[in-house]
Amino acid sequence: QVQPVESGGGLVQAGGSLSLSCTTSERTLNTYAVAWFRQSPGKEREFVAAISRSGASTYLADSVKGRFTISRDYPQNTVDLRMTRLKPEDTAVYYCAAALIQYHSDYDDGEEYNYWGQGTQVTVSS
């Protein structure tokens, strides 16, 4: 059983930066592809970013390209989401998810992810 745990959410002004981190108590995150999704009230869950198990491939939603980066820290067993130039529309609960992804086309599909964290709130004030 893999239980992702997110950290790093908070309140930031528009234009600011924030970093989120995902890890697991078992040192198993390194064996999975990991993605970040987000959901704001009244909206459907939205893909944000993903990284392959090897770290060689990363995927970003068009809405965050050029502003967000995703990376892995293997010794620390974490996947980090660095968010810059934040906008009020980035406000959401951000979820970390892990899975064994086989196809490139599946990285942005929430249905492919087996393990989900509880989420961390990110609020961007205008």
Side-chain angles (χ1 to χ4, degrees):
Q1 185 71 16
V2 177
Q3 181 58 60
V5 177
E6 306 94 341
S7 62
L11 173 64
V12 64
Q13 287 188 331
S17 300
L18 203 60
S19 290
L20 305 181
S21 187
C22 177
T23 189
T24 56
S25 56
E26 321 83 14
R27 292 192 62 83
T28 56
L29 196 63
N30 294 339
T31 63
Y32 291 90
V34 176
W36 288 92
F37 292 82
R38 66 187 182 187
Q39 188 167 23
S40 52
K43 294 187 178 180
E44 292 188 355
R45 184 178 61 198
E46 175 187 24
F47 169 76
V48 177
I51 189 166
S52 62
R53 183 173 60 177
S54 70
S57 299
T58 59
Y59 307 83
L60 293 169
D62 288 342
S63 60
V64 305
K65 282 181 180 176
R67 300 188 299 123
F68 291 13
T69 57
I70 186 170
S71 60
R72 307 193 76 123
D73 186 329
Y74 289 98
Q76 295 298 321
N77 189 49
T78 63
V79 170
D80 302 313
L81 183 68
R82 176 65 175 169
M83 306 182 292
T84 65
R85 291 188 284 147
L86 283 160
K87 304 175 182 179
E89 50 263 45
D90 294 319
T91 295
V93 177
Y94 283 70
Y95 298 91
C96 175
L100 295 173
I101 300 293
Q102 185 174 4
Y103 302 109
H104 289 287
S105 60
D106 290 340
Y107 276 90
D108 62 355
D109 185 352
E111 297 299 318
E112 295 294 325
Y113 289 84
N114 313 95
Y115 308 107
W116 291 81
Q118 295 298 308
T120 185
Q121 176 71 45
V122 172
T123 303
V124 184
S125 63
S126 57

